[in-house]
Amino acid sequence: LNIPCFLVSNQAALSKKIIKFKTFERIHTNLEDTLSMNKAYLDDYAYCPNFNSKKFSNENFPYFYKYRKPSIGILNQFKNKYNLNLKKSYFIGDRDIDILTGKKAGCKTFLVKSPKNKDYILNIKPDYFVKNAFNAVKKILLIK
């Protein structure tokens, strides 16, 4: 539908060595395949896998070592690269840190129901609560 779509994720599991990079690559490929089967695509993506003093290093991997959410550094990179209006953008996530990131950037925010919601300690209210990411996308399409 010609709506730009981006993925921004911390992925600390890489620096914590909870998952191997090959596993991460398979997960990302599976995501891209699933999206394309449904005629949906990511325009771009960026990760910040570093966590506290734990650092991740892979020269073939597009990541931003200093823009871990809730920093909006990656969003600003995308804003400049793609001429985005963040105030007319939506940020979908399943954690309070996602809602904080979206709010800091001026986006409308969607909190997806998740077991991670029990860790919701920042007390930042999203603009919308949704059952899953698909419902968030359907709502965005109705708003547009």
Side-chain angles (χ1 to χ4, degrees):
L1 297 173
N2 239 3
I3 299 171
C5 184
F6 305 92
L7 174 67
V8 176
S9 184
N10 285 342
Q11 293 302 321
L14 289 168
S15 62
K16 292 178 181 180
K17 299 187 184 331
I18 294 170
I19 64 170
K20 295 186 182 303
F21 185 67
K22 285 282 184 199
T23 303
F24 174 79
E25 285 182 309
R26 282 195 304 272
I27 292 167
H28 184 86
T29 299
N30 187 19
L31 171 66
E32 295 254 42
D33 291 347
T34 301
L35 288 170
S36 68
M37 284 188 299
N38 291 284
K39 296 185 170 68
Y41 306 92
L42 293 173
D43 289 273
D44 207 342
Y45 54 90
Y47 302 96
C48 183
N50 291 347
F51 182 75
N52 293 339
S53 63
K54 293 176 174 56
K55 304 293 182 208
F56 175 78
S57 177
N58 184 316
E59 62 189 42
N60 299 317
F61 182 61
Y63 67 94
F64 293 76
Y65 67 94
K66 63 181 180 178
Y67 293 142
R68 183 172 179 76
K69 292 182 296 180
S71 166
I72 61 169
I74 293 173
L75 297 179
N76 283 331
Q77 294 282 333
F78 287 158
K79 173 185 156 190
N80 295 333
K81 184 176 179 180
Y82 296 97
N83 195 29
L84 301 174
N85 181 343
L86 294 178
K87 298 213 180 304
K88 291 184 177 182
S89 297
Y90 300 89
F91 201 90
I92 303 168
D94 64 353
R95 301 186 116 164
D96 54 354
I97 204 160
D98 298 319
I99 302 309
L100 177 59
T101 304
K103 293 285 186 183
K104 285 172 64 174
C107 303
K108 295 284 186 211
T109 58
F110 285 83
L111 180 63
V112 174
K113 185 176 181 178
S114 160
K116 296 173 187 169
N117 295 156
K118 70 180 181 327
D119 299 331
Y120 201 83
I121 58 174
L122 297 178
N123 202 26
I124 298 165
K125 187 177 178 193
D127 295 293
Y128 305 97
F129 290 94
V130 290
K131 181 178 167 182
N132 54 45
F134 181 70
N135 286 355
V137 171
K138 287 193 324 189
K139 186 152 186 86
I140 290 167
L141 295 176
L142 288 174
I143 293 169
K144 294 214 166 267

